[in-house]
Amino acid sequence: MVRGAEPSGFVASRKVAAASSSFHWNVRVALLPEARGQGFGSEAQRPLVRYLFAHTTVVRIEADTEAENVAEQRASENRVHPGGHPAQHRVPRRTVAGRRAVCRRQRYSVLREDA
C-alpha cells in the first residue's frame, strides 16, 4: 500500500477452508506506525472486499482483530462492511513474550447478500 510516494503498509487476503468443499476469505491490513489513525487501512480494504465478492464465488469475508486493539476494531467495522457482524472467539497457542497464551480476537464478517 502506497500513499503518495511513501509506503504505508499492506493489505492481504487469504483463502480459509471452511469445509472440504467451501471456503471464505480473511482480509488483513498492516500499517506502519506513522500511517495509523488516518483511515488508510479502511480505504485500502474496501476495494479488496468488493474485488473478492466480484471475482470469486465466496459468500463470506472476514477480518480479525485482537480483542484489546479497540482502534483496529473500529476500523474493521468500517473496513469489512459498515455494520459488519462482530463476534469474539479465542485463538489458542499464540506466543506472547516467549510464553504460550490464549489470544482473544474480535472477528468481523460480511456476507455477499449484505455487501
Side-chain angles (χ1 to χ4, degrees):
M1 203 164 81
V2 177
R3 196 78 171 154
E6 296 296 317
S8 54
F10 72 89
V11 180
S13 62
R14 68 181 177 94
K15 194 175 188 177
V16 178
S20 61
S21 63
S22 67
F23 69 93
H24 62 272
W25 292 99
N26 186 283
V27 295
R28 179 85 176 159
V29 65
L31 296 174
L32 295 171
E34 58 272 15
R36 294 178 186 153
Q38 300 177 48
F40 298 158
S42 297
E43 183 181 320
Q45 274 194 334
R46 278 189 216 107
L48 176 59
V49 168
R50 284 194 300 270
Y51 175 86
L52 292 172
F53 277 136
H55 296 282
T56 69
T57 60
V58 70
V59 296
R60 184 175 81 236
I61 297 175
E62 297 178 343
D64 293 328
T65 66
E66 292 187 15
E68 295 77 21
N69 191 340
V70 176
E72 188 174 359
Q73 289 173 25
R74 283 193 305 261
S76 290
E77 290 169 359
N78 294 319
R79 182 181 333 155
V80 174
H81 180 67
H85 311 290
Q88 277 200 4
H89 66 285
R90 294 180 182 271
V91 179
R93 298 190 178 142
R94 179 170 178 228
T95 303
V96 177
R99 295 186 295 172
R100 295 287 215 192
V102 174
C103 177
R104 291 182 317 122
R105 298 236 173 166
Q106 187 81 16
R107 175 169 288 166
Y108 292 84
S109 66
V110 61
L111 301 175
R112 178 182 292 275
E113 62 197 39
D114 295 334

